[in-house]
């Protein structure tokens, strides 16, 4: 594994009025890694994603992606540079078919002449052939998550952020999703950052884990280190659990 | 009975033009959620441009869109970047104030340039009427309806089959998701605003083949297109056409059977009824 950083976040802070949703977070993600970002509800994980991907402008701090400062750069430019994401609450294009939805993503790097090749490739990679002509508005949660993943993949990102991609999935669906993600990481060398509540997925998939609590980065390490870290246990289970 | 069918026919043909105007409005509203009060005044502006080009160079009104379509597209794009773009993150009231301001501005400009009296082009290539089964159909209206339907079909194809069309639909469905997969929202918005405005150029050229124009016409077309949009709901282009025809026919019927001055009354009655009974419109999504 190369240790070249793909994403460097330094002193990132995002406030909403008096609430500090992300507080002075500094972290690095290296090329080819699968990292996890965990934390209790309201820890600021989604805000962190939104700030990195350009949906929010940070109040302080900088985001460097592939050596380029992307602080305050609009989302579509960040996407062009090679970062994409999925959403916790699925945001598929309800009026479009699965194929068209993926196609919108594929236009990021392809023109009309070769866009369908990419669409076909991603659809088969994500196992969406059977539903490719269905409207996204008619799909169930598991399929929607996969369509979102496909749409993000179609933009050909180098770094893919997944916001709670495993939430609400059955064990079998989760296993399939993890397999797709592993393949994506290995075969297409896409760096992955997953925000996740489902511990099974984080522990099974990630090489390194960051822990956010109340907007602050409180721990960082391998899955074993994290699961034995007293501050993490405290954040998740409360103070008494440590004794 | 004959009057009823005759006025239904006339109204339905006119309704197709209304549908074309409303398609522009619905693009703008559907994609960027901007309530554009100036839309009717773009129609009025297009009609004046058609009049100007027609009277200056003797171009027939039906052909003026060849010039006014790109012109109105540019006007729309400029209007977007100059005044709409900055209000997108503001309150609704700000947007309303801005588009009402644009409406007043357009009216004042046309009044200054062409005075307040109605203007009309002397004649059009398409004139006269044809008779079918005892009914009299004005050729200009028939052709206007046909061209409107073709234009609506064209936009429909553009939206469903091209890359910019898909970008517009994606952005109107979920802006955040669209931008995160590479859709440039300002560019998409400018395109939608430009296209929405440019569609009024086709309508304006067609209307000038059988109608005169004065600076107060914008309000009529503006409100009329809001009625059609409310009746149709967002998201269905065939629905837009049907609603345009319903509104046109209702307007024409009330003029024939009741009183010419009652036409707006009936139209707004429909408007209020729809908002009351079925706020998402006849064909709207959700």
């Amino acid at each position: 594994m190369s240790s070249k950083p793909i994403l460097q976040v330094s002193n990132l802070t995002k406030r909403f009025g008096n609430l500090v949703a992300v507080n002075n977070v500094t972290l690095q993600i290296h090329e080819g890694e699968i990292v996890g970002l965990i934390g209790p509800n309201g820890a600021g994980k989604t805000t962190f994603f939104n700030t990195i991907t350009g949906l929010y402008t940070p109040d302080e701090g900088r985001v460097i992606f592939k050596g380029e400062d992307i602080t305050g750069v609009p989302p579509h430019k960040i996407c062009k540079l090679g970062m994409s994401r999925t959403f916790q609450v699925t945001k598929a294009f309800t009026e479009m078919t699965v194929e068209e939805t993926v196609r919108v993503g594929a236009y990021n790097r392809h023109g009309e002449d070769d866009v369908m090749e990419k669409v076909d490739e991603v659809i088969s990679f994500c196992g969406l052939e059977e539903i490719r002509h269905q409207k996204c508005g008619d799909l169930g949660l598991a399929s929607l998550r996969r369509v979102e993943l496909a749409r993000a993949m179609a933009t050909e990102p180098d770094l893919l952020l997944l916001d709670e991609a495993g939430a609400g999935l059955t064990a079998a669906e989760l296993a399939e999703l993890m397999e797709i993600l592993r393949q994506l990481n290995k075969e297409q060398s896409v760096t992955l950052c997953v925000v996740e509540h489902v511990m099974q997925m984080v522990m099974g998939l990630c090489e390194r884990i960051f822990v956010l609590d109340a907007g602050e980065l409180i721990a960082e390490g391998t899955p074993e280190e994290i699961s034995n870290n007293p501050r993490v246990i405290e954040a998740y289970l409360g103070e008494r659990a440590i004794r | 009975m004959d009057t009823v069918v005759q006025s239904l026919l006339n109204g339905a043909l006119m309704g197709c033009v209304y549908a074309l105007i409303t398609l522009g409005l619905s693009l703008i509203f559907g994609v960027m959620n901007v309530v554009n009060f100036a839309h009717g005044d773009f129609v009025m502006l297009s009609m004046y441009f058609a009049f100007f080009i027609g009277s200056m160079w003797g171009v027939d009104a039906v052909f003026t869109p060849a010039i006014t379509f790109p012109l109105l597209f540019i006007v729309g794009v400029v209007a977007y970047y100059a005044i709409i773009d900055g209000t997108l993150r503001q309150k609704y009231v700000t947007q309303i104030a801005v588009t009402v301001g644009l409406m007043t501005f357009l009216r004042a400009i046309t009044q200054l340039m062409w005075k307040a009296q109605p203007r009309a082009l002397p004649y059009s290539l398409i004139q006269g009427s044809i008779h079918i089964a005892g009914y009299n159909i004005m050729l200009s209206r028939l052709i206007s309806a046909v061209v409107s339907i073709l234009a609506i079909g064209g936009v429909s194809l553009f939206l469903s089959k091209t890359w910019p069309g898909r970008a517009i639909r994606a952005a109107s469905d979920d802006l955040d998701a669209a931008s995160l997969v590479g859709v440039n929202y300002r560019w998409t918005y400018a395109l939608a605003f430009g296209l929405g405005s440019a569609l009024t150029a086709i309508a304006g050229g067609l209307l000038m083949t059988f109608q005169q124009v004065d600076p107060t016409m914008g309000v009529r077309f503006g409100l009329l297109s809001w009625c059609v949009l409310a009746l149709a709901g967002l998201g269905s282009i065939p629905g837009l056409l049907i609603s345009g025809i319903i509104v046109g026919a209702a307007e024409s019927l009330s003029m024939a059977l009741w009183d010419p001055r009652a036409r707006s009354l009936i139209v707004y009655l429909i408007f209020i009824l729809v908002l009351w009974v079925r706020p998402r419109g006849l064909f709207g999504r959700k």
Side-chain angles (χ1 to χ4, degrees):
Chain A
M1 189 191 76
S2 83
S3 63
K4 211 173 139 204
I6 187 165
L7 186 79
Q8 295 161 278
V9 177
S10 49
N11 307 99
L12 197 73
T13 299
K14 178 68 194 173
R15 300 187 194 90
F16 297 105
N18 285 330
L19 176 81
V20 188
V22 174
N23 192 0
N24 204 21
V25 170
T26 299
L27 58 80
Q28 280 197 4
I29 299 175
H30 304 291
E31 261 174 29
E33 271 190 312
I34 303 185
V35 299
L37 182 65
I38 64 171
N41 274 327
K45 303 178 299 270
T46 297
T47 307
F48 180 73
F49 264 23
N50 287 346
T51 314
I52 295 177
T53 49
L55 286 182
Y56 298 156
T57 314
D59 293 302
E60 282 159 42
R62 299 211 309 165
V63 184
I64 313 278
F65 178 59
K66 295 201 285 190
E68 202 163 325
D69 192 336
I70 57 162
T71 322
V73 168
H76 68 269
K77 286 195 183 143
I78 294 180
C79 182
K80 278 270 182 312
L81 286 172
M83 191 196 307
S84 192
R85 69 173 285 190
T86 66
F87 292 86
Q88 180 179 8
V89 181
T90 55
K91 284 171 172 281
F93 303 133
T94 49
E95 300 287 313
M96 287 187 177
T97 62
V98 170
E99 184 185 293
E100 264 196 309
T101 303
V102 176
R103 189 168 176 163
V104 170
Y107 280 126
N108 191 47
R109 302 223 189 281
H110 294 272
E112 207 64 71
D113 47 326
D114 60 345
V115 72
M116 283 314 287
E117 280 167 41
K118 186 71 203 173
V119 172
D120 290 339
E121 176 200 318
V122 172
I123 280 184
S124 94
F125 189 85
C126 294
L128 293 169
E129 289 99 338
E130 278 173 26
I131 56 168
R132 73 183 285 165
H133 296 298
Q134 286 188 34
K135 262 194 177 181
C136 292
D138 302 334
L139 298 176
L141 182 69
S143 309
L144 274 180
R145 292 218 185 276
R146 221 180 260 196
V147 171
E148 279 217 344
L149 179 64
R151 179 180 62 190
M153 275 172 56
T155 68
E156 298 180 14
D158 298 312
L159 173 62
L160 181 57
L161 310 175
L162 299 147
D163 196 352
E164 308 249 352
L169 299 190
T170 64
E173 288 163 349
L174 199 65
E176 272 182 66
L177 176 69
M178 283 168 67
E179 195 41 50
I180 290 179
L181 292 180
R182 271 196 205 102
Q183 268 186 41
L184 185 63
N185 178 253
K186 284 233 170 60
E187 292 168 16
Q188 312 194 8
S189 56
V190 178
T191 311
L192 298 175
C193 175
V194 300
V195 156
E196 202 53 69
H197 259 119
V198 182
M199 280 305 147
Q200 184 197 344
M201 180 156 156
V202 186
M203 296 299 172
L205 202 61
C206 303
E207 297 148 24
R208 276 197 312 144
I209 293 174
F210 300 103
V211 188
L212 274 183
D213 183 32
E216 286 179 59
L217 189 67
I218 58 165
E220 166 180 354
T222 64
E224 298 84 63
E225 287 167 0
I226 290 298
S227 48
N228 295 322
N229 185 314
R231 274 197 78 184
V232 176
I233 299 168
E234 183 189 326
Y236 267 88
L237 302 171
E239 216 171 316
R240 286 175 61 196
I242 310 170
R243 289 182 213 148
Chain B
M1 190 58 209
D2 273 2
T3 18
V4 175
V5 177
Q6 178 71 59
S7 61
L8 274 179
L9 270 175
N10 285 345
L13 293 177
M14 192 65 183
C16 296
V17 182
Y18 293 166
L20 177 62
I21 296 171
T22 312
L23 179 59
L25 182 72
S26 119
L27 266 180
I28 293 167
F29 183 63
V31 174
M32 60 188 99
N33 249 314
V34 166
V35 180
N36 182 17
F37 279 95
H39 192 67
D41 290 80
F42 278 107
V43 179
M44 186 263 301
L45 191 68
S46 300
M47 290 174 79
Y48 269 112
F49 283 167
F51 165 76
F52 180 73
I53 293 163
S55 52
M56 278 287 281
W57 297 310
V59 179
D60 196 271
V62 258
F63 301 122
T64 54
I67 303 165
T68 54
F69 187 86
L71 194 61
L72 260 286
F73 182 83
I74 293 166
V75 171
V77 169
V78 169
Y80 171 76
Y81 279 114
I83 61 172
I84 307 290
D85 188 63
T87 67
L88 289 174
R89 289 173 200 283
Q90 311 277 336
K91 295 192 184 78
Y92 254 123
V93 185
T94 316
Q95 291 181 0
I96 292 172
V98 157
T99 59
V100 168
L102 179 62
M103 174 182 100
T104 319
F105 173 77
L106 290 176
R107 193 180 310 174
I109 286 282
T110 48
Q111 264 173 1
L112 268 175
M113 292 193 55
W114 289 289
K115 309 291 183 284
Q117 76 261 35
R119 303 281 190 159
L121 285 171
Y123 60 86
S124 168
L125 278 179
I126 43 167
Q127 51 181 342
S129 45
I130 51 169
H131 302 274
I132 298 173
Y135 299 109
N136 193 24
I137 297 170
M138 268 173 73
L139 210 52
S140 54
R141 290 202 179 206
L142 182 65
I143 289 177
S144 298
V146 171
V147 173
S148 296
I149 292 171
L150 288 177
I152 291 170
V155 172
S156 186
L157 275 180
F158 169 77
L159 289 177
S160 62
K161 296 281 177 236
T162 67
W163 166 63
R166 289 192 172 95
I168 286 181
R169 281 161 56 219
S172 97
D173 208 321
D174 195 307
L175 184 59
D176 286 347
S179 15
L180 285 162
V181 293
V183 174
N184 180 346
Y185 87 88
R186 292 182 77 199
W187 183 87
T188 313
Y189 280 6
L191 176 68
F193 210 93
L195 182 62
S197 308
L199 288 179
T200 67
I202 301 178
L206 295 171
L207 288 167
M208 282 310 277
T209 61
F210 57 89
Q211 241 187 320
Q212 54 188 25
V213 58
D214 70 73
T216 61
M217 278 193 116
V219 184
R220 189 172 106 74
F221 285 117
L223 292 174
L224 209 59
S225 51
W226 277 109
C227 286
V228 176
L229 186 57
L231 185 62
L234 277 176
S236 162
I237 290 184
L240 215 57
L241 189 59
I242 296 169
S243 301
I245 290 173
I246 293 175
V247 168
E251 192 186 58
S252 162
L253 260 190
S254 54
M255 288 203 313
L257 299 180
W258 188 10
D259 190 312
R261 286 166 292 185
R263 69 181 199 186
S264 309
L265 187 69
I266 298 295
V267 169
Y268 296 118
L269 216 58
I270 297 178
F271 186 49
I272 292 165
L273 267 176
V274 168
L275 290 185
W276 185 27
V277 180
R278 200 178 160 85
R280 72 181 167 100
L282 294 179
F283 310 94
R285 56 190 176 207
K286 269 184 275 178

